[in-house]
């Protein structure tokens, strides 16, 4: 299977972004053209299956999913991402760099150019649906990153000058084509649920994601004068509603509110009842990754969740905001971990944390996290801790997202009622034993902390929209959604503050879990005292406290952060591509 896919993808001339690049001669020498020529392929159902199986390699790997959150206000790590340093951002120089690459699309369009050779009409329909799904997936990524992009639906040949040098199509046109692909895919794909294969429900779920993104982007980016937001939001909730009412998917739950959310991500196998599309890994087949190592090792990126993010988790017993508690800003680690939404203790190393299959109580490893809020989500048992030793599957589309899409789209349209919350948000919260969201209460008293984060929300549904955004941030943490959400909500200013971690009232020794033992020593650089603390953190240099000898852990305090509202919601097109195709135009304000 892989030999056929990789060979067809690379033979001949690759056209990327309207630019022709020669193929590797030695590769051509090893694989004769006659072996993979389109005229000799695409003739049977098996041919179409084998070829479209290669498209699944276009889906993101587990590490790239997590790393998408590194550019957001959820995470502090060993660098300030360029997305938060507007003055340091530059335009890529190389052709096809910076995400302006088109090889995957060429592989998809090669299918469309030749699948008609197959005489099995049922197979043609099915695999056309698969290919349309993946073309929609490809272009959705491009629109989110660049806005206007050229739409291609055939393989570009060397003499196709009109296609090679075409201008960018409008995002409205491209989004309409994405929706068209998905709606055709929905009609042609099977309804049988298989979590690692594209089906009707996968396409409907992606349609809800696409339309929610684009509908809210157009609503909140009023300066762009984009029309059709309400129509897109209606499509979003109706697509999600079909999945809810017809698919049979449900949230994974055994009734254990302390571990079910954790196990959804740490399990070796996809939880089929919830995962609509996932990526499988296998130790037996040597299809592995290194996510345990990445999140636990002291030699990686020291990822820590931010204080702002941790504060967003509600109180478990009442469902009230943690930020409504007196003194919340200066609570120590032990105190702030009490009576919180149980997803918090299944996302970070909280008080009493234990690894799966082990009874040893572990504290955050301050040598492996910048903030003290060390990530535990996705971390499986200790046997998978080595570099390249992990093989737990990863969810790419899951039912919880569909529920959130449904609630948000209806709320944005002013159509949300309590019954809608009861069949969406309530289910998500019930998995961890949290009280339901009451729509009237939320709208009568919008949370002030959340309202300050999103000042462009107004109207009678302000309170419930804020709570849906909170729910989305928590439920989908580190699953690659936060950057897209910040962009579509036009909330880039959230990226400008310096992110912080755990609060400490002073330098010195601390008992983090209130067990009577000294766990941590914070000391000023060059003045380390004697201590029996199991962990010692030097304050000074990269890691500081916000007020010198007290305050929140903070990294890169002296570095400038900035987000340009007029430019930074879109990425720049590489200079090499602009020079080779004079009909391409750069995104706004990148040449200023």
């Amino acid at each position: 299977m892989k030999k056929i896919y990789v060979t067809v993808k690379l033979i001949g001339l690759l056209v990327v972004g309207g630019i022709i690049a020669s193929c590797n001669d030695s590769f051509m020498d090893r694989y004769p053209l006659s072996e993979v020529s389109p005229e000799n392929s695409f003739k049977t159902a098996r041919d179409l299956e084998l070829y479209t199986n290669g498209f699944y390699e276009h889906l993101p790997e587990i590490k790239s999913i997590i790393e998408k959150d590194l550019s957001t206000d959820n995470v502090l790590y060993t660098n300030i991402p360029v997305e938060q340093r507007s003055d340091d951002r530059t335009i890529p120089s190389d052709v096809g760099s910076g995400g302006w690459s088109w090889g995957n699309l060429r592989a998809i369009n090669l299918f469309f150019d030749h699948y008609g050779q197959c005489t099995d009409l049922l197979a043609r329909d099915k695999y056309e649906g698969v290919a349309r799904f993946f073309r929609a997936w490809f272009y959705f990524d491009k629109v989110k990153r660049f806005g206007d992009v050229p739409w291609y639906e055939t393989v570009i040949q060397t003499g196709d000058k009109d296609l090679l040098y075409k201008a960018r199509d409008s995002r409205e046109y491209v989004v309409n084509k994405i929706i068209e692909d998905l709606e055709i895919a929905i009609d042609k794909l099977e309804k049988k649920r298989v979590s690692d294969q594209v089906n009707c429900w996968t396409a409907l779920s992606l349609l809800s994601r696409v339309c929610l993104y684009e509908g809210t982007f157009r609503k909140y980016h009023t300066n762009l004068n984009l029309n059709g937001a309400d129509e897109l939001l209606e499509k979003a909730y109706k697509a999600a509603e079909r999945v809810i009412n017809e698919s049979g998917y449900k949230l994974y739950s055994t009734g254990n509110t302390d571990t079910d959310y954790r196990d959804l991500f740490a399990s070796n196998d996809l939880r089929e009842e919830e995962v609509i599309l996932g990526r499988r890994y296998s130790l037996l087949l040597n299809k592995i990754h290194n996510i345990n190592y990445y999140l636990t090792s002291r030699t990686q990126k020291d990822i820590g969740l931010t204080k702002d993010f941790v504060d967003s988790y509600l109180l478990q017993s009442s469902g009230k905001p943690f930020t409504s508690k007196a003194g919340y800003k200066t609570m120590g680690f032990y105190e702030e971990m009490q009576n919180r939404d149980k997803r918090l203790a299944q996302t970070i190393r909280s008080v009493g944390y234990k690894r799966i299959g082990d009874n040893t109580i572990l504290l955050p490893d301050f040598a492996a996290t910048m903030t003290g809020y060390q990530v535990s989500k996705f971390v499986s048992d200790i046997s998978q801790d080595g570099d390249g030793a992990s093989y737990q599957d990863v969810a790419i589309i899951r039912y919880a997202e569909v529920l959130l899409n449904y609630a948000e789209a209806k709320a944005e349209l002013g159509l949300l009622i309590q019954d809608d919350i009861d069949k969406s948000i309530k289910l998500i919260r019930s998995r961890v034993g949290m009280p339901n969201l009451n729509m009237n209460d939320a709208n009568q008293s919008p949370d002030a902390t959340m309202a300050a984060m999103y000042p462009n929300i107004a109207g009678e549904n302000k309170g419930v929209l804020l709570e849906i955004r909170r729910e989305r941030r928590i439920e989908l943490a580190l699953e690659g959604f936060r950057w897209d959400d910040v962009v579509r909500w036009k909330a880039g200013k959230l990226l400008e503050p310096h992110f912080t971690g755990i609060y400490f009232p002073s330098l010195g020794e601390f008992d983090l879990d209130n067990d009577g033992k000294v766990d941590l020593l914070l000391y000023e650089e060059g003045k380390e005292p004697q201590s029996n603390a199991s962990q010692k953190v030097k304050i000074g240099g990269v890691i500081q406290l916000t007020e010198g000898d007290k305050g929140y852990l903070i990294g890169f305090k002296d570095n400038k952060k900035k987000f340009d509202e007029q430019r930074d919601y879109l990425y720049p097109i590489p200079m090499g591509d602009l020079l080779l195709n004079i009909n391409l135009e750069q995104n706004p304000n990148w040449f200023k």
Side-chain angles (χ1 to χ4, degrees):
M1 179 189 75
K2 288 188 176 181
K3 179 180 177 183
I4 292 175
Y5 161 62
V6 174
T7 308
V8 172
K9 181 181 174 184
L10 293 177
I11 61 168
L13 296 171
L14 290 179
V15 180
V16 288
I19 308 304
I20 304 171
S22 296
C23 203
N24 185 307
D25 289 339
S26 63
F27 183 94
M28 294 291 290
D29 291 342
R30 291 199 303 272
Y31 293 90
L33 242 163
S34 60
E35 182 179 325
V36 293
S37 65
E39 292 75 16
N40 295 330
S41 304
F42 303 104
K43 291 188 175 182
T44 68
R46 182 63 173 160
D47 289 343
L48 301 188
E49 179 188 9
L50 289 174
Y51 189 81
T52 55
N53 278 348
F55 298 162
Y56 290 89
E57 294 303 310
H58 301 181
L59 295 172
E61 297 270 3
I62 184 171
K63 185 176 177 181
S64 66
I65 291 171
I66 293 172
E67 287 198 327
K68 192 172 179 184
D69 264 24
L70 299 193
S71 301
T72 76
D73 54 340
N74 283 355
V75 171
L76 179 65
Y77 71 109
T78 52
N79 194 10
I80 298 178
V82 70
E83 289 85 356
Q84 299 171 19
R85 295 182 284 116
S86 187
D87 290 345
D88 296 332
R89 297 190 73 173
T90 59
I91 299 172
S93 57
D94 294 341
V95 170
S97 60
W100 191 263
S101 55
W102 301 83
N104 285 350
L105 178 64
R106 184 186 190 278
I108 295 166
N109 282 341
L110 186 66
F111 172 88
F112 283 112
D113 285 352
H114 297 284
Y115 81 110
Q117 297 167 195
C118 178
T119 57
D120 186 333
L121 298 183
L122 290 177
R124 273 167 49 179
D125 270 1
K126 175 181 177 180
Y127 295 109
E128 178 191 346
V130 172
R132 285 186 181 275
F133 173 89
F134 280 102
R135 186 163 65 187
W137 184 280
F138 173 90
Y139 265 110
F140 183 42
D141 277 348
K142 286 289 181 284
V143 168
K144 288 187 295 181
R145 192 171 182 87
F146 298 108
D148 299 349
V149 290
W151 175 267
Y152 300 108
E153 51 190 27
T154 186
V155 172
I156 306 172
Q157 305 300 328
T158 55
D160 292 337
K161 290 188 177 181
D162 288 345
L163 292 179
L164 282 169
Y165 301 110
K166 73 176 291 185
R168 300 158 73 186
D169 292 300
S170 70
R171 73 180 294 142
E172 296 98 322
Y173 175 81
V174 176
V175 168
N176 285 340
K177 298 296 285 185
I178 292 170
I179 292 170
E180 177 185 303
D181 267 352
L182 288 172
E183 289 178 340
I184 293 172
I186 290 163
D187 288 339
K188 292 182 177 293
L189 287 166
E190 297 176 346
K191 293 185 177 181
K192 181 181 178 181
R193 290 165 32 196
V194 182
S195 289
D196 61 351
Q197 297 291 313
V198 168
N199 55 49
C200 166
W201 314 116
T202 323
L204 274 164
S205 300
L206 182 58
L207 181 62
S208 79
R209 182 187 291 187
V210 168
C211 292
L212 177 65
Y213 180 95
E214 188 63 14
T216 48
F217 184 94
R218 295 185 191 187
K219 178 175 180 176
Y220 290 104
H221 290 258
T222 55
N223 57 308
L224 299 179
N225 297 314
L226 298 168
N227 298 316
D230 285 357
E231 291 84 353
L232 287 161
L233 290 168
E234 183 178 2
K235 281 183 177 291
Y237 90 74
K238 286 185 175 179
E241 192 170 48
R242 277 196 62 188
V243 178
I244 293 168
N245 292 339
E246 301 174 28
S247 71
Y249 282 103
K250 61 182 180 179
L251 297 182
Y252 166 73
S253 176
T254 67
N256 190 331
T257 58
D258 293 316
T259 60
D260 279 345
Y261 182 77
R262 176 201 71 181
D263 292 346
L264 178 61
F265 306 99
S267 171
N268 289 338
D269 300 312
L270 296 172
R271 299 300 188 181
E272 301 276 349
E273 60 265 60
E274 177 166 353
V275 177
I276 298 172
L277 180 63
R279 189 170 188 135
R280 296 194 190 276
Y281 294 87
S282 168
L283 183 63
L284 181 65
L285 299 176
N286 199 35
K287 191 172 178 61
I288 54 180
H289 54 82
N290 74 337
I291 213 62
N292 273 23
Y293 183 78
Y294 181 67
L295 294 174
T296 62
S297 172
R298 298 178 175 184
T299 63
Q300 296 298 295
K301 294 186 176 179
D302 299 349
I303 294 171
L305 299 187
T306 61
K307 171 68 173 170
D308 164 76
F309 179 41
V310 170
D311 282 352
S312 67
Y313 286 78
L314 298 170
L315 298 173
Q316 176 75 23
S317 57
S318 65
K320 300 294 184 183
F322 170 72
T323 53
S324 66
K325 290 193 69 172
Y328 80 91
K329 290 184 178 180
T330 55
M331 285 183 182
F333 181 68
Y334 177 82
E335 189 178 3
E336 70 176 338
M337 291 295 115
Q338 305 306 306
N339 186 29
R340 301 296 293 280
D341 180 335
K342 290 186 177 183
R343 285 171 293 187
L344 178 57
Q346 297 174 69
T347 301
I348 66 168
R349 289 192 180 190
S350 183
V351 173
Y353 171 76
K354 299 176 184 178
R355 292 290 300 273
I356 293 173
D358 192 90
N359 287 321
T360 305
I361 294 176
L362 299 173
L363 291 165
D365 182 351
F366 284 79
T369 174
M370 294 278 288
T371 65
Y373 302 121
Q374 185 177 4
V375 175
S376 63
K377 185 173 176 175
F378 298 104
V379 176
S380 60
D381 66 84
I382 295 172
S383 70
Q384 300 186 39
D385 280 1
D387 191 4
S390 298
Y391 49 91
Q392 64 268 44
D393 296 343
V394 62
I396 295 170
I397 300 175
R398 59 187 182 94
Y399 187 58
E401 181 209 342
V402 175
L403 298 177
L404 290 163
N405 293 349
Y406 173 77
E408 184 181 348
K410 294 204 79 172
E412 288 285 5
L413 288 168
L415 300 176
L416 188 74
I417 59 175
Q418 187 63 43
D419 284 349
D420 297 321
I421 292 174
D422 292 348
K423 66 179 183 181
S424 57
I425 305 300
K426 180 182 180 180
L427 303 181
I428 294 171
R429 290 189 174 187
S430 293
R431 169 158 53 194
V432 291
M434 282 283 293
N436 191 17
L437 170 62
N438 184 286
M439 181 175 172
N440 289 333
D441 290 349
N443 283 333
Q444 287 174 10
S445 302
D447 180 57
T449 302
M450 293 289 293
M453 293 174 65
Y454 307 108
N456 55 355
I457 292 185
E460 62 182 18
N461 269 344
K462 176 178 179 176
V464 76
L465 266 173
L466 291 172
E467 292 306 320
I468 291 169
R469 290 189 181 189
R470 181 203 303 275
E471 197 68 31
R472 186 176 181 90
R473 188 182 187 188
I474 289 169
E475 176 68 22
L476 303 179
L478 298 169
E479 294 180 56
F481 290 95
R482 183 61 177 173
W483 172 262
D484 291 343
D485 290 345
V486 166
V487 168
R488 66 188 177 90
W489 295 331
K490 204 173 188 291
K493 287 300 179 182
L494 291 175
L495 306 180
E496 287 193 335
H498 281 83
F499 305 138
T500 61
I502 294 174
Y503 179 82
F504 293 97
S506 66
L507 299 174
E509 295 180 329
F510 295 92
D511 176 5
L512 294 174
D513 56 359
N514 205 31
D515 67 350
K517 300 176 184 178
V518 175
D519 304 308
L520 178 69
L521 171 70
L522 300 184
Y523 66 93
E524 185 179 349
E525 187 173 10
K527 298 180 180 181
E528 181 180 350
Q530 291 291 324
S531 173
N532 292 322
S534 55
Q535 298 189 65
K536 301 177 182 181
V537 175
K538 178 178 66 177
I539 300 299
V542 172
I543 300 294
Q544 302 180 47
L545 294 175
T546 52
E547 299 176 59
D549 60 357
K550 67 176 183 177
Y552 305 101
L553 288 176
I554 187 170
F556 310 104
K557 181 181 179 182
D558 300 324
N559 293 56
K560 182 180 179 181
K561 295 185 68 181
K562 179 181 176 182
F563 186 89
D564 186 341
E565 286 277 333
Q566 304 306 313
R567 187 193 71 179
D568 290 341
Y569 289 110
L570 296 176
Y571 285 76
I573 297 172
M575 286 301 302
D577 290 279
L578 295 175
L579 291 171
L580 285 166
N581 181 358
I582 62 172
N583 294 313
L584 291 177
E585 293 183 2
Q586 185 57 277
N587 272 324
N589 299 311
W590 277 97
F591 281 146
K592 69 179 183 180

